[in-house]
């Protein structure tokens, strides 16, 4: 069954598993979300579920937005997101979706807007190398250097890695596993980092990766306890 939910990034922490290994996790406040619209293949040409997240005052919405949300009851939500499903028969307009939609062991793709870092040079933006710091190389230590276009074609090709705006773009981190779910507080702990600042809106859905079930421990795995890790 496909799953999806809207959430808010709370921050990062660490928890310990049954073997005492530390696991770095990102805590996400997932839901509660309200189903605000159902799209069908007969009417819109595809099946999808639109969810709303985080309450907002009615005075901050215009009349078209209020008219749309009122169809789902009294749920006045600030953020709307559409998720495509092959079968939407399990959802009804007005239903509430909580964090318990996901379970421990699920693998998810998390989408968010990365932190904006302003105008950055090629070293910070593209991990380029700098010029030598001695022997008369300055003062161009952190510049991009020659573009090497020569007389033909006498221009810089599109897509060249140049200085420019860094961050503040949509980023998806794939194949993160759900470590813990707190249904009462609507919290989901996901292994690793997710894009965006604290308080940023993120979208969780089933991963598109094909995770195969391990048939047994690998033969070449080191048994040195100092190399033990919580990574999978």
């Amino acid at each position: 069954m496909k799953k999806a939910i809207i959430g808010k990034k709370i921050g990062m922490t660490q928890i310990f598993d049954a073997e005492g290994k530390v696991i770095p996790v990102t805590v996400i406040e997932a839901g509660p979300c309200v189903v605000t619209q159902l799209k069908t293949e007969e009417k819109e040409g595809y099946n999808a579920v639109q969810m709303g997240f985080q309450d907002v005052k009615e005075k901050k919405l215009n009349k078209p937005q209020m008219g749309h949300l009122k169809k789902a009851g009294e749920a006045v939500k600030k953020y709307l997101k559409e998720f495509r499903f092959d079968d939407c028969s399990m959802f009804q307009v007005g239903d509430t979706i909580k964090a318990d939609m996901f379970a421990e062991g699920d693998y998810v793709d998390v989408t968010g807007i990365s932190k904006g870092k302003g105008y950055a040079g090629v070293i910070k933006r593209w991990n380029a190398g700098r010029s030598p710091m001695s022997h008369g190389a300055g003062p161009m230590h952190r510049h991009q250097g020659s573009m090497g276009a020569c007389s033909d074609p006498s221009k810089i090709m599109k897509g060249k890695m140049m200085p420019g705006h860094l961050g503040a773009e949509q980023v998806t981190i794939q194949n993160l596993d759900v470590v813990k779910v707190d249904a009462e507080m609507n919290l989901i702990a996901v292994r690793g980092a997710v894009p965006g600042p604290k308080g940023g809106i993120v979208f969780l859905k089933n991963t598109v990766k094909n995770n195969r079930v391990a048939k047994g421990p690998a033969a070449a795995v080191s048994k040195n306890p100092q190399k033990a890790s919580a990574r999978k």
Side-chain angles (χ1 to χ4, degrees):
M1 184 184 84
K2 286 192 175 182
K3 307 174 184 178
I5 199 169
I6 309 173
K8 181 174 66 174
K9 180 178 176 179
I10 302 299
M12 291 197 70
T13 183
Q14 60 185 23
I15 59 178
F16 295 88
D17 61 6
E19 299 178 0
K21 297 178 181 178
V22 65
I23 305 175
V25 297
T26 300
V27 180
I28 299 173
E29 181 185 349
C33 298
V34 176
V35 177
T36 56
Q37 186 182 14
L38 293 177
K39 295 190 176 183
T40 60
E41 193 169 356
E42 294 77 14
K43 187 175 180 181
E44 285 84 11
Y46 61 96
N47 296 321
V49 177
Q50 186 188 79
M51 301 181 188
F53 173 70
Q54 193 168 333
D55 295 333
V56 64
K57 295 180 180 180
E58 294 187 6
K59 66 179 182 180
K60 294 189 176 182
L61 301 177
N62 55 34
K63 287 185 178 180
Q65 291 173 331
M66 283 300 304
H68 174 71
L69 293 173
K70 286 295 184 180
K71 296 178 182 178
E74 298 300 324
V76 182
K77 300 297 181 180
K78 183 176 182 180
Y79 301 101
L80 300 179
K81 175 64 176 178
E82 184 180 291
F83 299 97
R84 292 201 179 192
F85 291 92
D86 296 332
D87 183 16
C88 301
S89 59
M90 66 187 75
F91 299 100
Q92 298 292 333
V93 176
D95 289 350
T96 301
I97 300 174
K98 298 184 178 180
D100 55 4
M101 168 173 273
F102 291 91
E104 296 181 14
D106 290 345
Y107 288 87
V108 296
D109 293 342
V110 183
T111 302
I113 303 298
S114 62
K115 293 181 180 180
K117 299 180 180 179
Y119 191 91
V122 292
I123 293 180
K124 183 176 181 180
R125 192 183 186 197
W126 302 111
N127 196 29
R130 60 168 175 77
S131 301
M133 297 299 289
S134 61
H135 300 288
M140 306 287 290
H141 303 296
R142 296 181 64 90
H143 288 214
Q144 64 269 32
S146 174
M147 297 292 103
C150 298
S151 60
D152 184 19
S154 299
K155 66 178 181 179
I156 298 177
M157 295 297 185
K158 291 184 178 179
K160 183 72 175 179
M161 293 185 291
M162 302 281 283
H165 188 79
L166 177 62
E169 60 183 0
Q170 181 172 296
V171 179
T172 299
I173 306 298
Q174 295 182 333
N175 210 29
L176 300 177
D177 59 308
V178 176
V179 178
K180 191 173 183 180
V181 176
D182 190 334
E184 295 183 0
M185 300 186 67
N186 283 310
L187 297 178
I188 296 179
V190 179
R191 183 190 301 266
V194 302
K198 295 179 181 179
I201 299 299
V202 295
F203 310 118
L204 286 77
K205 59 183 179 181
N206 293 91
T207 183
V208 296
K209 299 288 187 178
N210 184 16
N211 290 289
R212 298 180 180 180
V213 179
K215 297 182 180 179
V221 174
S222 174
K223 296 183 179 180
N224 188 343
Q226 294 181 346
K227 295 182 179 181
S229 172
R231 296 185 178 181
K232 291 188 176 181

